[in-house]
């Protein structure tokens, strides 16, 4: 039963992150469900991109605000803020990747998790 509560919370965190992305008009939003993948380190990846580093930072800030407002939770770890080409927000059970468009294409994170269930979301709220 404890796992179910954790899964519900990780699903909720991923939805909050998606809302934060939509608020700042992030592009091509997807959520990869990694719960059924044996070697996975987290429940969900949420991935999006934006055309400028300024927008990448704005999206990351919006995600943090949405999750903090709802759950009073800060990311366990943040990376990539300095150059804002690929910002990673790690909420342990949910990892959010905010890419600049060219970096998303280059790294192809979705392709590395081809077995994941992928759900796409509209970009604008």
């Amino acid at each position: 039963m404890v796992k179910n509560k954790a899964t519900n919370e990780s699903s909720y965190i991923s939805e909050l992150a998606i809302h934060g992305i939509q608020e700042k008009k992030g592009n091509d939003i997807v959520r990869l469900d990694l719960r059924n993948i044996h070697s996975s380190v987290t429940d969900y990846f949420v991935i999006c991109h934006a055309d400028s580093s300024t927008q990448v930072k704005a999206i990351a800030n919006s995600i943090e605000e949405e999750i903090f407002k709802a759950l009073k939770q800060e990311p366990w770890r943040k990376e990539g803020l300095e150059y804002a080409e690929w910002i990673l927000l790690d909420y342990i059970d949910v990892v959010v990747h905010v890419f600049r468009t060219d970096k998303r294409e280059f790294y192809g994170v979705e392709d590395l998790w081809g077995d994941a269930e992928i759900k796409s979301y509209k970009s604008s709220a």
Side-chain angles (χ1 to χ4, degrees):
M1 202 63 138
V2 173
K3 176 68 178 154
N4 195 13
K5 181 185 183 301
T7 298
N8 288 341
E9 184 168 325
S10 64
S11 178
Y12 183 51
I13 290 171
S14 72
E15 289 166 15
L16 290 167
I18 290 161
H19 183 70
I21 294 166
Q22 291 170 329
E23 287 292 304
K24 298 298 178 189
K25 309 243 183 294
N27 298 315
D28 195 11
I29 306 163
V30 296
R31 180 176 77 176
L32 279 60
D33 185 341
L34 305 171
R35 293 172 299 172
N36 294 321
I37 297 179
H38 178 67
S39 59
S40 128
V41 294
T42 189
D43 288 350
Y44 296 102
F45 275 170
V46 176
I47 304 169
C48 73
H49 67 265
D51 293 329
S52 71
S53 296
T54 304
Q55 188 182 5
V56 168
K57 280 185 180 174
I59 291 167
N61 288 337
S62 178
I63 293 164
E64 282 192 73
E65 287 169 15
E66 289 294 322
I67 294 173
F68 190 79
K69 198 166 48 177
L71 298 171
K72 302 292 183 252
Q73 191 173 331
E74 297 277 355
W76 176 68
R77 196 165 176 165
K78 290 190 268 196
E79 294 185 22
L81 292 169
E82 186 177 353
Y83 298 108
E85 295 180 340
W86 175 3
I87 294 178
L88 185 140
L89 300 173
D90 185 347
Y91 288 92
I92 301 175
D93 292 328
V94 178
V95 178
V96 185
H97 302 266
V98 184
F99 287 99
R100 215 178 57 212
T101 305
D102 58 325
K103 296 299 178 188
R104 182 175 185 174
E105 292 166 6
F106 180 80
Y107 287 106
V109 171
E110 293 102 318
D111 299 335
L112 299 175
W113 297 95
D115 294 343
E117 183 183 313
I118 299 176
K119 184 172 180 186
S120 297
Y121 295 83
K122 288 188 175 13
S123 292
S124 58

